[in-house]
Amino acid sequence: SQSYSFNNLFYEVTRRCNLACPQCMAGSADPVRVAESVERELSVDEIERHVLATASEIGIGTITWSGGEFIVEPGEVISLLNIGLPRHG
């Protein structure tokens, strides 16, 4: 049986953005896509419980935060950075 290891996690936090760049790969220039995805965004608590805890359990060492412009909500960013993986392993 083959064994896999996951060292990196790329996580798109949001599609929200204060810009509307036509080349945006996150789809942040499309207001319909943004509105639909915002309804499904996880809270900081949910990210900690479901994403970071699982990432720690399976040995993720690096998280790359991505998305639209997730610093639109600076409080959320600070919370995520403070929680990070050190708290989970």
Side-chain angles (χ1 to χ4, degrees), residues 1-2 11 13 15 20-21 27 30-31 38 43-44 48-49 51 53-54 60 67 77-78 82 88:
S1 121
Q2 210 169 15
Y11 188 79
V13 178
R15 282 199 174 136
C21 305
D30 181 343
V38 166
S43 68
V44 170
E48 180 178 12
R49 286 185 291 121
V51 178
T54 302
I60 298 292
V77 174
I78 291 168
N82 285 334
H88 292 279

Side-chain angles (χ1 to χ4, degrees), residues 5-8 53-62 85:
S5 65
F6 299 94
N7 302 313
N8 303 300
T54 302
S56 178
E57 287 173 16
I58 64 172
I60 298 292
T62 303
L85 285 177

